Amino acid sequence: MATAKKRSGKGEGRGAPPAGMLDHGAWFLVLPALLPILVLSVGPLLYGISLAFTDSQSGRTEPTEWIGLLNFQDLLHDTLFWDSFRIGLVWAVGVTVPQFLLALGLALLLNQNLRFRGLARSLAIIPWAMPEVVVGIMWRLVYNPDAGILNETIRDLGLGDGRDWLTGIGSALPAVIVVGIWAGMPQTTVALLAGLQNVPRELHEAAEMDGAGAWRRFRTVTWPALKPVALAITALNFIWNFNSFALVYVLTNGGPGGRTRLPMLFAYEEAFRYGQFGYAAAMGCVMVAVISVLLAVYLVGRLRGADER
């Protein structure tokens, strides 16, 4: 018996590959997925950061020179950039918060046993499947001051003659925020609906038998299970909305008078309209730093929540 055990142990030792071989094999399997990230994400990011410390411009005949923090010093005194930063925060909060609340209500509705529930779920994600450029063109037609559906409806209801929503000083940003909410709500709905389906029905049934109403069941059963998904999708939505470009570019191109000029759109104009590549890269570095801080706060909150549980 001892001999058999000894042989068995030797056989297991010969069959197990060395730890170093496992590490090399794992890297070999991960490499095909890692290379596109390094080439398409990490590489351009590092190049953009290095560009922020130079005086790179389009059409320049002299060699690009290293100027240190000069671009960042100019950025501190650029009121137009900080105005766009403020507009970006208003846009991100104004889209993310209503987007989450409406998506939560829609997810709760689609989680019920309704007739044609599958069709309703399919229709709910249609805006998500549409490219942002198409969404922008479609909503430009809706907001058209002469023949748009919105102004025609206002006239038919006798509420006035309508207005030019995308070129009005006071109406442009709210009009664009409405489009952002509509375009981004489906992905939030899908994420929340997936979270709702992971809540055991037995918990709802037990709470209902104890006499808990709909609001109390949501507060004590649904929300604690849904909270991690809600925090994750809200953080991601805020980052996506803050970095928005195509939708606002198609709708207003930053107008009127810069009232919808988001930071990403401002950096784009500096780089490709005015050719200030180094200065635009410095703007990008500031935005990356802000997003990194927000991500760090979110991750710390998640880790503290996990420790408390």
Side-chain angles (χ1 to χ4, degrees):
M1 292 291 292
T3 305
K5 289 182 179 179
K6 187 175 181 181
R7 288 177 180 174
S8 176
K10 287 183 178 179
E12 291 175 358
R14 285 196 301 267
M21 186 179 296
L22 283 176
D23 293 340
H24 287 94
W27 278 109
F28 181 76
L29 294 174
V30 171
L31 194 59
L34 190 61
L35 277 177
I37 297 176
L38 294 174
V39 173
L40 301 177
S41 297
V42 178
L45 176 62
L46 295 177
Y47 177 72
I49 293 174
S50 65
L51 202 65
F53 298 92
T54 68
D55 59 352
S56 177
Q57 299 177 6
S58 80
R60 183 187 177 114
T61 57
E62 296 84 2
T64 299
E65 296 181 358
W66 182 270
I67 59 173
L69 298 175
L70 185 59
N71 285 327
F72 295 94
Q73 292 176 4
D74 294 340
L75 200 58
L76 287 176
H77 304 287
D78 192 340
T79 57
L80 292 178
F81 173 72
W82 294 113
D83 284 344
S84 73
F85 205 88
R86 176 185 56 81
I87 293 170
L89 290 176
V90 172
W91 153 269
V93 174
V95 172
T96 302
V97 175
Q99 193 177 83
F100 172 77
L101 296 176
L102 293 173
L104 178 59
L106 183 57
L108 290 170
L109 179 63
L110 294 177
N111 197 43
Q112 305 299 317
N113 291 322
L114 305 174
R115 294 184 62 185
F116 306 109
R117 184 174 61 175
L119 177 61
R121 289 178 176 179
S122 300
L123 294 175
I125 64 174
I126 286 179
W128 191 13
M130 299 174 64
E132 286 188 323
V133 174
V134 175
V135 172
I137 294 173
M138 182 184 71
W139 277 90
R140 281 184 66 90
L141 296 176
V142 172
Y143 285 135
N144 187 281
D146 299 321
I149 297 174
L150 181 57
N151 280 345
E152 288 293 334
T153 303
I154 291 174
R155 295 187 190 102
D156 292 342
L157 295 176
L159 300 177
D161 296 329
R163 61 189 304 173
D164 196 345
W165 298 93
L166 295 178
T167 59
I169 296 296
S171 62
L173 185 58
V176 173
I177 287 176
V178 169
V179 181
I181 295 171
W182 182 86
M185 197 171 70
Q187 63 187 12
T188 310
T189 303
V190 170
L192 294 176
L193 183 58
L196 289 172
Q197 291 177 343
N198 288 327
V199 181
R201 291 191 176 273
E202 293 80 7
L203 296 178
H204 285 282
E205 294 172 357
E208 190 173 2
M209 292 179 63
D210 290 339
W215 168 247
R216 187 177 177 185
R217 292 199 304 272
F218 174 80
R219 184 170 54 87
T220 59
V221 177
T222 304
W223 179 248
L226 192 63
K227 188 177 179 180
V229 177
L231 291 176
I233 193 63
T234 303
L236 291 175
N237 281 342
F238 184 87
I239 293 171
W240 288 331
N241 291 327
F242 186 77
N243 289 327
S244 293
F245 171 78
L247 190 63
V248 179
Y249 180 79
V250 174
L251 284 169
T252 63
N253 197 17
R259 296 303 175 94
T260 61
R261 185 186 288 126
L262 305 182
M264 194 63 68
L265 184 56
F266 190 86
Y268 169 82
E269 290 179 347
E270 287 293 323
F272 299 105
R273 179 176 294 180
Y274 304 114
Q276 301 294 329
F277 296 137
Y279 193 55
M283 295 180 187
C285 288
V286 172
M287 287 184 279
V288 169
V290 171
I291 296 301
S292 300
V293 170
L294 294 175
L295 276 175
V297 172
Y298 165 71
L299 291 175
V300 169
R302 287 296 303 272
L303 291 175
R304 287 181 179 175
D307 292 339
E308 291 175 358
R309 291 195 297 270

